[in-house]
Amino acid sequence: MSDIPTIKFNDGHTIPQLGLGVWKTPADETEKVVSTAFELGYRHIDTAAIYGNEEGVGRAIAASGIARDQLFITTKLWNEDQGYDSTLKAFELSLKKLGLDYVNLYLIHWPQPQADRYLDTWKAFQHLKEQGAIRSIGVSNFREEDLDNLIAKSGETPVANQIEVHPLLQQDALRAYNKKHDIVTEAWSPLAQGGELLKNEVLQKIAQKHGKSAAQVVLRWHIELGNVIFPKSVTPNRIKENADIFDFSLDSDDLKAIAGLNENKRLGPDPSTFSSL
Ligand code: NAD
C-alpha cells in the first residue's frame, strides 16, 4: 500500500492521508486490530488518551518490527488535563503507554472555550515540541474564533485541525478557513459512523458505477477534497476495503451529487459547548 499519498504540514513534516482510527476499539482488541492494519500496509494510527487503548497501539507498534520513522502516530490530550503542568503530565503518561519516545502529532482534543485553558495547554505543546517529544502540534474541534485567538496569542499556527466531516456535515466554511491558514483538515467520523449514510441511493449509484462500495466512495470523496482520514473498523475485510480507494476517481457529476447530500448534521458534540471541566 505504498500508494497512500502524503500531505505536507506547515512545519515541513508529512502525514499519510489515510490511517486507522481506534475510537471505541476495545482495549483488549486494539493490538490485534492495529497489527492487522499494519500487515495491510497502514502506517498511520489515530488514538487518544480518552480512548483507553494507547497501550494496545503501543504493543502493536512494538510487535510490528516496522521502523519508527515509517510510522505516523497521533494521540490527543483529554479535556480534564488542559493546563500547562497537567498537559506535561498527561503527555508523559500517553508516551509511556504507547511505548514511544516521541509522537508524530499531538492534538488538543476539544477547545472548551468556556474553560479558557487552551492557550496554557498550547504553551506546553510548544515546549514538548522543542524538547523533541512531539514532531508536530495541532488541535481538534477548534472553531474559527478559537483558531484566530490561538494563532494571534501564540504566534504558532497548528499543523492540523481534526473536525467532524462527512457527506452529512461537509463543513465548507471551516475547511476553507483551515486551507487559508495552511492548516490540514483531518476529518473525523469520515463514514458518518457507518450508519444510514452508506445506504443512501445517491452513494449506492456512484458506487455501482465505479465497481466500489458506498464506503469507498465516501472515503475517496474525502481524499479528493484533501482531507486526512482514519476510518475506524475492527473487521479485517473492512480495514482492507477502506484502503482500497486509490485506483479510481470521482468525476464532477459524482462530486456534485455528493455535495448535495450535506445536511449540516452533527453526529458528535458541538465544540461551542462540549466540555468536561
Ligand atoms: P467512522 O466514520 O470511521 O465509522 C466507523 C464505523 O463505520 C465502524 O464502526 C463500522 O461500523 C463502519 N464501517 C467501517 N468501515 C466500513 C465499511 N468499509 N463498510 C461499512 N461500514 C464500515 O467513525 P469514527 O470511528 O467515529 O471516526 C473515525 C476516527 O476518527 C475515530 O476512530 C477516531 O480516531 C477519530 N475521531 C475523533 C474525534 C475527535 O473529537 N477528534 C471524534 C470522533 C472520532
Side-chain angles (χ1 to χ4, degrees), residues 55-117:
E55 280 157 323
V57 173
R59 280 196 297 273
I61 294 169
S64 73
I66 301 169
R68 178 67 185 88
D69 66 1
Q70 298 301 303
L71 293 174
F72 191 102
I73 309 298
T74 299
T75 193
K76 315 183 191 87
L77 176 88
W78 187 238
N79 298 344
E80 282 156 20
D81 292 317
Q82 281 208 33
Y84 191 89
D85 291 334
S86 40
T87 294
L88 297 182
K89 240 192 223 162
F91 175 76
E92 202 181 310
L93 192 60
S94 282
L95 201 60
K96 196 168 154 204
K97 286 185 174 170
L98 287 163
L100 297 175
D101 51 16
Y102 72 91
V103 298
N104 297 82
L105 178 61
Y106 199 39
L107 302 176
I108 301 179
H109 209 142
W110 291 87
Q112 305 186 107
Q114 59 285 52
D116 196 19
R117 284 203 204 159

Side-chain angles (χ1 to χ4, degrees), residues 20-22 25 33 191 230-239 242:
L20 178 80
V22 294
T25 301
V33 170
L191 294 171
F230 21 80
K232 178 255 178 183
S233 177
V234 294
T235 311
N237 280 342
R238 282 181 170 174
I239 297 174
N242 293 345

Side-chain angles (χ1 to χ4, degrees), residues 21 23 46 51 140-141 162 188-191 193 232 241-242:
W23 180 40
D46 184 90
Y51 301 169
S140 179
N141 299 303
Q162 185 177 125
W188 63 255
S189 295
L191 294 171
Q193 299 176 0
K232 178 255 178 183
E241 175 184 332
N242 293 345

Side-chain angles (χ1 to χ4, degrees), residues 66-273:
I66 301 169
R68 178 67 185 88
D69 66 1
Q70 298 301 303
L71 293 174
F72 191 102
I73 309 298
T74 299
T75 193
K76 315 183 191 87
L77 176 88
W78 187 238
N79 298 344
E80 282 156 20
D81 292 317
Q82 281 208 33
Y84 191 89
D85 291 334
S86 40
T87 294
L88 297 182
K89 240 192 223 162
F91 175 76
E92 202 181 310
L93 192 60
S94 282
L95 201 60
K96 196 168 154 204
K97 286 185 174 170
L98 287 163
L100 297 175
D101 51 16
Y102 72 91
V103 298
N104 297 82
L105 178 61
Y106 199 39
L107 302 176
I108 301 179
H109 209 142
W110 291 87
Q112 305 186 107
Q114 59 285 52
D116 196 19
R117 284 203 204 159
Y118 62 71
L119 286 168
D120 283 342
T121 305
W122 191 240
K123 279 188 193 135
F125 273 47
Q126 290 177 300
H127 172 74
L128 289 164
K129 192 179 83 164
E130 277 161 25
Q131 303 278 304
I134 305 171
R135 289 279 194 268
S136 298
I137 55 178
V139 297
S140 179
N141 299 303
F142 271 47
R143 308 161 304 164
E144 291 187 27
E145 54 262 58
D146 306 320
L147 287 163
D148 278 341
N149 190 35
L150 185 75
I151 296 166
K153 303 239 169 84
S154 77
E156 179 157 5
T157 303
V159 298
N161 187 18
Q162 185 177 125
I163 56 174
E164 182 179 348
V165 186
H166 43 71
L168 303 176
L169 179 70
Q170 301 193 10
Q171 300 256 39
D172 288 352
L174 189 48
R175 284 191 299 105
Y177 175 101
N178 287 343
K179 192 170 180 190
K180 187 171 148 210
H181 290 81
D182 202 8
I183 298 169
V184 170
T185 297
E186 296 196 333
W188 63 255
S189 295
L191 294 171
Q193 299 176 0
E196 284 302 300
L197 175 70
L198 300 182
K199 298 187 192 131
N200 179 284
E201 246 178 60
V202 171
L203 293 174
Q204 287 289 344
K205 262 198 187 152
I206 299 172
Q208 254 175 22
K209 184 169 109 184
H210 293 283
K212 291 284 179 181
S213 67
Q216 288 171 318
V217 166
V218 172
L219 296 175
R220 182 71 209 176
W221 170 79
H222 283 284
I223 295 291
E224 294 188 18
L225 290 186
N227 299 338
V228 168
I229 46 171
F230 21 80
K232 178 255 178 183
S233 177
V234 294
T235 311
N237 280 342
R238 282 181 170 174
I239 297 174
K240 187 162 185 243
E241 175 184 332
N242 293 345
D244 185 15
I245 55 171
F246 298 105
D247 60 351
F248 78 112
S249 40
L250 301 172
D251 60 36
S252 55
D253 289 343
D254 301 335
L255 294 171
K256 208 165 142 197
I258 299 172
L261 299 179
N262 184 40
E263 296 176 11
N264 293 324
K265 184 180 170 183
R266 278 186 196 283
L267 302 177
D270 184 337
S272 309
T273 49

